[in-house]
Amino acid sequence: MADNKLETTRQHNGIYKQSRRRKAKFLPYLLVAPLILFIAVLALYPTLLTFVKSFFIVSALDPTQKFAGLANYIAVLTDSGVIQSILNTFLYIIFGVVISLILALFFSFSLRNKFRGRGIILAIVILPWALPPITEGIIWNWIYNSQFGVLNSILNSLHIINHYHVWISGNQLVTIFFIELVQIWQMTPLSVVLILASLQSLPKELFSAAKVDGAGKWKTTWSITLPLIRPGIAIAVVESLIQSINIFDQVYVLNGNATVGSSVMIQTYQIAFENLNFGQGYALSFLTTIGTMIMSVVLLKVINRKVEY
Amino acid sequence: MFVAFLAVVCLLFVSACSNGSGTSSTDNSTGSSTNNASKSYSGQTITVAITAQEPTKELKLFTKKTGIKVKWVSIGWDALQKKITAAATAHTHFADVTDVDWSRVGLYNQTKWFIPLNKYFDIKKLKKDVPQLGSFVVGGKLWGIPNDASIMATSINKRDFGKAGIKKTPKTISQYTKDLQKVKKSGVNQHPLGIPFTAAEGLSTYWYETTAAFGGHLFGKGYKPLFKSPSSAGYKAMKWMTDAYKSGLVPKGDINSKDVEISQSQMAQHRISSIFSDYATNKSSVYDVKGKSKVVGQVNYIPTPGKNGKHPNLGNPDGVGIPATSKHVGAAVKFIKWFTSTKVQADLSGLNGSGEQAVGFPMRLSSMKLLEENASNDNSKNNLNQLIKLYKNNTQPVFPNGPPPWYSQFSESVYTNIHSVAAGNETVDEAINKIVKVVNEQK
C-alpha cells in the first residue's frame, strides 16, 4: 500500500516535471512568437512579395499584370540613371562608414573616462540622432547656401576660400561628400553610443595587467582595447552601412533629383512612385535588399571575430 | 501550442485584411448611388485632403448650410501626390475630395483613379468664368475643378530697373535679356535673374513658360517632340536659361534653389531683380507683405516678353476632384460646388477679412471682379485689374491637348537634364536628345 502510494507520488512528480519541462521548452518560442510574427508580416512577407512581383510588369498605367521574366532586372541594370546611382551609393557608403567610424571612435574614447561636463557633452553629441533627416537636410541646406551660408562665410573669414562656392551639384565627389556629411552628422551618435557601451563593459583588470607588463597607452589601445570592442564596432559599422545605402531625405532636400548625387533609394522612389513603374521598382528594391544583406554579412564576418578575455 | 498560437494570429490577420477590402468595395458601390444632386447629405462626414490651410470659419458656414461635416487634412503638395498614388494603387479610401494637379490629368484619364465630373458640372458654362478649366479636360472628361488660379508671369523689380536707367518695359525676350545685362553692369544687382535650377518640377515649368515665350509648343500631334531642332523654341529656351546661368545673370546658388526659394529668399530679399517665369500670386502673398519682404511696392508683373512681343501666360493650376474610392460622392460634389463658387473663392482670397486665405488667387473671373470691386486701395485695384486682364485674355494651358499620361517621366527628364547642363555636366544638345529619347520610349 505504502509502496503503491510512493509509486503514485513518483508518477505524479514525473508527469509534473515532464509538464514543466515541456512548458520550459516551449516558453522561449512563445515569448519570441510576437516578434517572429511581426518580422514575418512586416519584413519577410513584403520581401517575398517584392521578389515575386519583380518578375511581373506592374504599372499604374497598365493594370494588367504580365509575367516579364528578368525584364525588370535587365531594364534597371541597363538604365544609365540607376547605374550612376549605384556608383554614387558606393561613394556614400565609403564616406559614410569610414568617416563615421573614425569620428565615433574619437568621441567614444574621449567620453570613456568621467570628467566634469561629460553628461552635457554626451547629450550634445547624441542630439543630431534625435532630429528627423528631412529637418537636418533643411538645416544643412542653409549652411551650404552659396550666397549666405555659414560654411562659405567661415571658410572665407579664415581665408581658405576667396569667393563663395556652390558645394552641391557641381563636382560629383564634392556633392556626395557634402551630402553624406549631413548623414554622418546624424548617424555618428548611434555609433558613439554603441562603441562607448562596448568600451565601458571592458574589465579593468586587463588594463591594470597591461600596465604592470609595461604596455604604453598606444600599445594598450591597439592590442587590447580595439580587439575587445570589435563586436561594438561591427554593429556600428553595419548600422552606418545600412543607413548609407538607404540615404534618401538628405539627397532629396539638398540635391533634388539631380543625377550627380542621386542614390539608389532616390532612383527606386523615382521609378516606383513618380514613374509608377512598380515592377521595376520591385526589382531595384529587391536588388538593394540583397546587396545590403551581403555587404552586412561580409562586414560582420570581417570585423566581428571571437573575443576572449 | 506554439503552432496553434501562430495559426490563430495568422487567421485573425487574414480575416482583418479581408474585412478591410470588403468594406472598401461596398463603399464604392454606394458611392455611385448617391450622385443625385437634390439629395440631402446632412450628417455625412467627408475627408478633404488638399494643400490649402483649413478655413475653419468658412467650413462652419458650409456645415450649417448643408449638414455635411468636413474633416480637413492639409498636406504638402509632394506628400499629397504620393498619398493619392499609394491609395489609388492599393484601392483604398483616402479622401472624398483631394488635389488634382493639371500635370496629372493625363494620368488620371488613363488610370481612372478619379471620377469624371461631367455629369455634375456644365463644362461650357463654367469655362466662361473659369479660363483654366481646359487644363482639367482630357478626352472630353472633366477630372477636376481648379480651386486656385495659378499662372506664370514675368516679375521685375521696377526700382532696380529704373536705377539701371531702363525706362521702357521690355517687350521682347532679347530686349529683356539686354535689360538684365544692364542691371548687372550698372552694379544695381550682380545677379538680377532668378531661375530655380534644382532638379525639381519648378525647373520644368520655367522651361515650358520660356519655350512659349520663344514662340513655340513642346509637342505636336501625337505628342511628337517639337524641341529637337536648334531653331525650335524649346531648344532656344533651354539655351537661353543655361546661358543666363553661365554668364552670371543668375546667382550661382540657383543651381540648388527651388521655385519657392527664388521668390521668398531671393526676390523678396532683394537678391535678384526679376523672375521670368514667376507665380502671379507672389506679389500679393510674398513681395508686398511687410515683414516678409524687403521689396514692398517695388515688384510689378509685366506682360511676358516674347519672341516678337507679348506672349501668352501658361497656367499650372491645382484643382479638386473626387477619388474613385470616395465613400461620399454626393456630399463631395456638394463640397466642390461650394468651394469653387464665386463668393467662397473671393472670401477665401481675403474678401471677407477673416484672415483665412485658403486660396492664393480665385479661379473664377467673377470672384476676381468681386475682389477688385472691394479693393481697399488703388494699388490693390490696379494689381487686380492687371491680373484679371492677364488671366482672362492671355492664359493658355501648358499642353493644349492635355498633359501626356507619362508626364512624370517627361518632366523628370526635363529637369534632370536642364540641371545637368547648368551644372556643366552636359551640353544643351545632349540634354535635348535625352529628353526626346524619353518621349519616344513612352509614346
Side-chain angles (χ1 to χ4, degrees):
Chain A
M1 185 77 179
D3 283 352
N4 278 348
K5 248 188 177 178
L6 193 67
E7 188 58 31
T8 316
T9 315
R10 272 181 191 160
Q11 274 178 359
H12 271 285
N13 283 348
I15 291 165
Y16 179 67
K17 272 181 189 169
Q18 259 187 352
S19 158
R20 272 190 68 176
R21 228 178 283 141
R22 202 177 296 144
K23 269 186 185 170
K25 200 177 161 189
F26 283 110
L27 187 67
Y29 293 105
L30 200 66
L31 291 174
V32 295
L35 181 67
I36 290 174
L37 193 74
F38 188 78
I39 292 172
V41 172
L42 294 178
L44 296 180
Y45 173 67
T47 308
L48 188 70
L49 197 69
T50 301
F51 177 66
V52 173
K53 293 248 179 176
S54 68
F55 296 103
F56 287 84
I57 292 172
V58 188
S59 169
L61 297 174
D62 182 8
T64 51
Q65 293 186 16
K66 294 166 207 146
F67 183 70
L70 292 172
N72 287 329
Y73 288 92
I74 293 166
V76 293
L77 291 174
T78 51
D79 183 314
S80 59
V82 174
I83 294 166
Q84 174 76 53
S85 75
I86 292 171
L87 295 174
N88 289 344
T89 305
F90 274 112
L91 290 172
Y92 281 118
I93 294 169
I94 293 166
F95 283 133
V97 172
V98 173
I99 299 174
S100 94
L101 178 63
I102 293 168
L103 288 173
L105 283 170
F106 171 77
F107 283 116
S108 47
F109 273 85
S110 307
L111 293 165
R112 184 186 183 184
N113 298 316
K114 284 184 180 169
F115 57 87
R116 213 173 165 186
R118 179 176 175 267
I120 295 167
I121 293 175
L122 196 60
I124 292 169
V125 167
I126 290 171
L127 198 64
W129 186 29
L131 288 173
I134 200 97
T135 312
E136 291 176 338
I138 293 165
I139 293 169
W140 284 80
N141 201 17
W142 286 97
I143 293 172
Y144 292 153
N145 191 289
S146 61
Q147 282 178 290
F148 39 85
V150 180
L151 182 67
N152 271 312
S153 172
I154 291 171
L155 294 178
N156 200 39
S157 309
L158 296 171
H159 301 289
I160 294 170
I161 55 171
N162 53 15
H163 65 274
Y164 279 28
H165 284 264
V166 176
W167 302 106
I168 310 283
S169 287
N171 180 287
Q172 185 197 16
L173 272 178
V174 176
T175 301
I176 290 172
F177 173 77
F178 279 104
I179 294 173
E180 184 55 36
L181 205 59
V182 183
Q183 199 183 41
I184 290 167
W185 187 65
Q186 195 218 356
M187 67 189 181
T188 302
L190 179 62
S191 303
V192 172
V193 171
L194 290 167
I195 297 173
L196 191 59
S198 295
L199 275 173
Q200 287 177 336
S201 65
L202 295 181
K204 283 178 184 164
E205 303 82 53
L206 275 172
F207 298 97
S208 308
K211 209 173 177 182
V212 170
D213 289 344
K217 266 194 172 176
W218 175 245
K219 183 76 180 164
T220 311
T221 306
W222 189 252
S223 302
I224 300 172
T225 315
L226 285 176
L228 287 177
I229 59 166
R230 269 203 303 251
I233 292 176
I235 296 170
V237 166
V238 171
E239 271 293 330
S240 308
L241 171 84
I242 293 169
Q243 289 202 46
S244 300
I245 294 172
N246 289 328
I247 189 166
F248 179 88
D249 306 63
Q250 296 89 343
V251 185
Y252 195 71
V253 174
L254 291 163
N255 199 34
N257 281 339
T259 323
V260 75
S262 179
S263 67
V264 172
M265 281 298 131
I266 290 274
Q267 279 298 316
T268 310
Y269 162 82
Q270 189 68 40
I271 290 169
F273 290 100
E274 290 287 342
N275 301 347
L276 304 173
N277 192 332
F278 299 114
Q280 288 185 16
Y282 288 131
L284 192 52
S285 295
F286 190 72
L287 287 175
T288 312
T289 309
I290 295 296
T292 308
M293 281 167 65
I294 293 170
M295 280 189 273
S296 302
V297 170
V298 168
L299 273 177
L300 277 173
K301 285 266 176 205
V302 170
I303 303 168
N304 189 21
R305 277 170 281 160
K306 202 177 177 187
V307 180
E308 281 175 8
Y309 293 116
Chain B
M1 189 181 169
F2 168 67
V3 176
F5 171 76
L6 270 186
V8 168
V9 177
C10 286
L11 269 174
L12 282 172
F13 176 74
V14 171
S15 132
C17 289
S18 57
N19 278 344
S21 59
T23 310
S24 172
S25 62
T26 313
D27 290 338
N28 276 345
S29 62
T30 54
S32 57
S33 67
T34 56
N35 289 338
N36 188 346
S38 60
K39 195 175 166 183
S40 168
Y41 303 98
S42 182
Q44 290 190 5
T45 301
I46 57 166
T47 304
V48 175
I50 56 175
T51 55
Q53 291 302 310
E54 182 176 355
T56 323
K57 288 174 193 167
E58 283 288 335
L59 283 180
K60 272 183 189 164
L61 294 176
F62 171 70
T63 304
K64 199 176 169 188
K65 190 177 160 190
T66 61
I68 300 167
K69 288 176 189 161
V70 177
K71 188 184 161 200
W72 188 285
V73 186
S74 183
I75 314 175
W77 192 89
D78 284 315
L80 186 53
Q81 304 312 316
K82 303 299 159 292
K83 284 188 195 298
I84 293 168
T85 302
T89 47
H91 307 292
T92 54
H93 173 257
F94 149 68
D96 299 293
V97 175
T98 192
D99 183 272
V100 174
D101 186 71
W102 71 273
S103 65
R104 291 168 70 96
V105 173
L107 172 74
Y108 298 153
N109 184 50
Q110 191 152 333
T111 57
K112 313 289 184 262
W113 288 352
F114 280 76
I115 293 167
L117 300 173
N118 299 53
K119 63 176 172 181
Y120 308 110
F121 294 90
D122 184 340
I123 299 178
K124 267 189 186 172
K125 208 174 158 187
L126 199 58
K127 219 171 183 177
K128 286 176 190 165
D129 199 27
V130 185
Q132 292 182 319
L133 195 71
S135 294
F136 294 87
V137 182
V138 177
K141 287 182 178 152
L142 178 66
W143 297 102
I145 306 290
N147 68 318
D148 196 336
S150 179
I151 47 173
M152 309 311 292
T154 301
S155 60
I156 59 163
N157 185 315
K158 56 187 182 206
R159 191 187 279 183
D160 283 359
F161 272 57
K163 273 188 187 171
I166 300 156
K167 284 168 190 162
K168 276 187 184 173
T169 304
K171 285 185 177 160
T172 63
I173 197 142
S174 60
Q175 187 57 49
Y176 174 70
T177 314
K178 280 178 192 162
D179 288 350
L180 289 170
Q181 283 160 348
K182 231 179 186 176
V183 175
K184 182 179 170 65
K185 273 184 193 163
S186 66
V188 173
N189 202 324
Q190 279 300 308
H191 309 288
L193 177 64
I195 302 180
F197 273 112
T198 201
E201 182 63 28
L203 180 56
S204 301
T205 312
Y206 209 106
W207 181 57
Y208 307 152
E209 175 77 0
T210 315
T211 298
F214 273 94
H217 289 288
L218 293 164
F219 295 117
K221 268 191 178 175
Y223 294 113
K224 186 190 169 195
L226 299 178
F227 46 84
K228 200 178 172 186
S229 154
S231 60
S232 67
Y235 195 106
K236 283 180 184 168
M238 194 186 292
K239 195 163 180 342
W240 180 82
M241 286 166 64
T242 50
D243 281 353
Y245 182 73
K246 286 171 185 167
S247 67
L249 280 179
V250 178
K252 288 289 167 217
D254 277 13
I255 196 79
N256 292 318
S257 298
K258 288 183 181 160
D259 47 8
V260 66
E261 291 164 340
I262 297 286
S263 53
Q264 293 183 358
S265 308
Q266 294 187 11
M267 191 69 162
Q269 301 310 312
H270 203 192
R271 291 190 173 100
I272 54 172
S273 303
S274 180
I275 301 175
F276 185 74
S277 178
D278 200 356
Y279 292 97
T281 50
N282 276 342
K283 182 175 163 61
S284 57
S285 62
V286 183
Y287 308 143
D288 284 350
V289 180
K290 282 176 190 169
K292 233 184 189 181
S293 165
K294 289 181 182 170
V295 292
V296 174
Q298 293 177 27
V299 178
N300 260 10
Y301 292 113
I302 60 168
T304 310
K307 186 183 167 192
N308 301 312
K310 205 173 81 175
H311 132 83
N313 300 78
L314 299 183
N316 52 1
D318 273 277
V320 280
I322 304 171
T325 53
S326 168
K327 290 179 178 178
H328 307 291
V329 174
V333 170
K334 272 212 156 179
F335 172 81
I336 293 177
K337 284 189 172 172
W338 169 83
F339 189 52
T340 58
S341 65
T342 299
K343 180 74 169 53
V344 173
Q345 280 279 304
D347 280 346
L348 293 178
S349 302
L351 180 69
N352 64 1
S354 67
E356 288 182 334
Q357 186 132 9
V359 170
F361 205 59
M363 72 348 152
R364 282 183 185 268
L365 284 167
S366 52
S367 309
M368 290 185 183
K369 278 173 191 156
L370 254 179
L371 284 175
E372 189 193 11
E373 283 162 18
N374 291 283
S376 55
N377 56 52
D378 284 348
N379 188 30
S380 304
K381 207 164 206 161
N382 289 340
N383 183 28
L384 279 161
N385 188 268
Q386 195 186 3
L387 282 173
I388 291 169
K389 277 182 192 163
L390 271 181
Y391 189 55
K392 190 177 177 184
N393 308 320
N394 223 35
T395 310
Q396 277 185 13
V398 176
F399 303 103
N401 300 320
W406 35 265
Y407 174 80
S408 176
Q409 285 94 322
F410 171 68
S411 176
E412 184 210 349
S413 174
V414 168
Y415 62 65
T416 48
N417 284 296
I418 299 179
H419 173 89
S420 286
V421 178
N425 297 326
E426 60 187 47
T427 63
V428 172
D429 215 45
E430 286 167 342
I432 289 284
N433 284 333
K434 283 184 182 174
I435 302 168
V436 169
K437 195 181 162 208
V438 167
V439 172
N440 290 336
E441 280 171 2
Q442 297 299 328
K443 276 202 298 175

